[in-house]
């Protein structure tokens, strides 16, 4: 009810449906075709991760935002892998909630890159190691995935990128905004935006958040040695 009051107060946002569980969310999304689905995680009958996967697999235009609690809810990474366009903290301020919904409606990420990096640093410590990595093994410090040939099947898409696009992907995954990437790589911000668009197309990713997830999965970037403290 609180979320609906906030959303309905905006002239450019209309709430067209509410679901009591994941199964109903999938059905309403199929029938109503909303631009954005604001998805809870812990629900009866079907949880938010399963519902997100079902909505994305159906191939519609609806984009899903996962609602999660940063320091308790461990489903955020699974939600992104299921195809969510991002996630929000459950205590997100109303203004941030509104700006996030508008951002994802235009195809952008729904949270700042720095928050994405901080959250994924926390979740990455709970992910299984790559199939060819020994348990507990750390990446060789001298190895740079941008210059190494891809050997794991999950890495093959990386070969589609140019060297400059790999550089940009690395900076995106490191939590930099387009303006910060432009300054670091001595490019215009418009050029960086073009590179990001090409990266998403070549890697068959929906948005910037999934690009960060992809970079973590293939080892292009690695989590910090210690997970960050929840905020």
């Amino acid at each position: 009810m609180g979320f609906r009051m906030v959303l309905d107060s905006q002239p450019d946002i209309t709430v067209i449906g509410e679901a009591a569980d994941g199964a109903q969310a999938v059905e309403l999304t199929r029938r109503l075709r909303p631009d954005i689905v604001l998805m809870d995680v812990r629900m009866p009958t079907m949880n938010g991760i399963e519902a997100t996967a079902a909505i994305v697999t159906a191939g519609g235009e609806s984009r899903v935002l996962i609602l999660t609690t940063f320091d308790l809810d461990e489903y955020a990474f699974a939600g992104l892998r299921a195809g969510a366009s991002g996630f929000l903290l459950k205590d997100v301020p109303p203004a941030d909630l509104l700006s996030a919904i508008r951002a994802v409606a235009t195809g952008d990420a729904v949270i700042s890159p720095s928050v994405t990096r901080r959250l994924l640093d926390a979740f990455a410590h709970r992910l299984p190691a790559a199939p060819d990595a020994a348990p507990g093994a750390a990446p060789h410090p001298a190895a740079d995935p941008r210059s190494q040939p891809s050997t794991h099947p999950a890495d093959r898409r990386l070969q589609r990128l140019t060297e400059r696009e790999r550089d940009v992907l690395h900076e995106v995954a490191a939590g930099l905004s387009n303006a910060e990437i432009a300054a670091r790589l001595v490019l215009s911000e418009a050029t960086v935006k073009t590179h990001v668009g090409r990266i998403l197309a070549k890697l068959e990713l929906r948005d910037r958040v999934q690009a960060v997830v992809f970079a973590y999965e293939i080892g292009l970037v690695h989590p910090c040695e210690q997970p960050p403290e929840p905020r």
Side-chain angles (χ1 to χ4, degrees), residues 22-106:
Q24 189 179 7
V26 173
E27 172 57 25
L28 285 179
T29 299
R30 182 193 64 79
R31 181 156 50 87
L32 301 177
R33 300 180 181 180
D35 297 313
I36 306 295
V37 178
L38 198 58
M39 182 73 73
D40 202 351
V41 173
R42 293 169 177 164
M43 297 182 291
T45 309
M46 176 186 288
N47 66 44
I49 306 304
E50 297 169 330
T52 296
I55 289 171
V56 173
T57 301
E61 297 298 321
S62 300
R63 292 176 176 269
V64 179
L65 307 188
I66 295 286
L67 283 169
T68 186
T69 302
F70 175 72
D71 57 346
L72 297 176
D73 197 338
E74 300 182 7
Y75 296 118
F77 193 85
L80 294 175
R81 295 189 66 181
S85 294
F87 51 87
L88 301 171
L89 304 184
K90 289 183 179 179
D91 60 354
V92 61
D96 291 347
L97 171 65
L98 295 171
S99 62
I101 290 173
R102 292 183 178 110
V104 78
T106 64

Side-chain angles (χ1 to χ4, degrees), residues 25-228:
V26 173
E27 172 57 25
L28 285 179
T29 299
R30 182 193 64 79
R31 181 156 50 87
L32 301 177
R33 300 180 181 180
D35 297 313
I36 306 295
V37 178
L38 198 58
M39 182 73 73
D40 202 351
V41 173
R42 293 169 177 164
M43 297 182 291
T45 309
M46 176 186 288
N47 66 44
I49 306 304
E50 297 169 330
T52 296
I55 289 171
V56 173
T57 301
E61 297 298 321
S62 300
R63 292 176 176 269
V64 179
L65 307 188
I66 295 286
L67 283 169
T68 186
T69 302
F70 175 72
D71 57 346
L72 297 176
D73 197 338
E74 300 182 7
Y75 296 118
F77 193 85
L80 294 175
R81 295 189 66 181
S85 294
F87 51 87
L88 301 171
L89 304 184
K90 289 183 179 179
D91 60 354
V92 61
D96 291 347
L97 171 65
L98 295 171
S99 62
I101 290 173
R102 292 183 178 110
V104 78
T106 64
D108 205 349
V110 299
I111 54 177
S112 68
S114 60
V115 174
T116 302
R117 174 63 186 263
R118 190 167 65 250
L119 286 167
L120 290 180
D121 272 344
F123 290 123
H125 288 271
R126 302 185 179 100
L127 297 176
D132 56 351
H140 193 284
D144 183 350
R146 288 173 289 177
S147 61
Q148 300 297 317
S150 178
T151 57
H152 191 272
D155 300 0
R156 299 188 190 281
R157 283 184 291 172
L158 190 63
Q159 297 180 358
R160 302 173 187 174
L161 303 184
T162 65
E163 182 177 354
R164 176 57 82 187
E165 288 167 349
R166 290 191 188 198
D167 290 339
V168 172
L169 175 59
H170 187 274
E171 302 305 333
V172 168
L176 273 64
S177 66
N178 284 354
E180 292 169 332
I181 295 172
R184 176 168 293 189
L185 299 182
V186 194
L187 300 170
S188 71
E189 193 168 344
T191 298
V192 172
K193 186 174 181 180
T194 298
H195 280 312
V196 171
R198 289 174 178 169
I199 289 167
L200 297 180
K202 289 182 179 182
L203 299 181
E204 302 173 20
L205 302 173
R206 288 168 62 92
D207 51 43
R208 191 185 190 101
V209 175
Q210 288 197 339
V212 178
V213 176
F214 174 84
Y216 269 86
E217 289 183 324
I218 67 171
L220 185 65
V221 292
H222 300 282
C224 301
E225 292 184 3
Q226 295 297 328

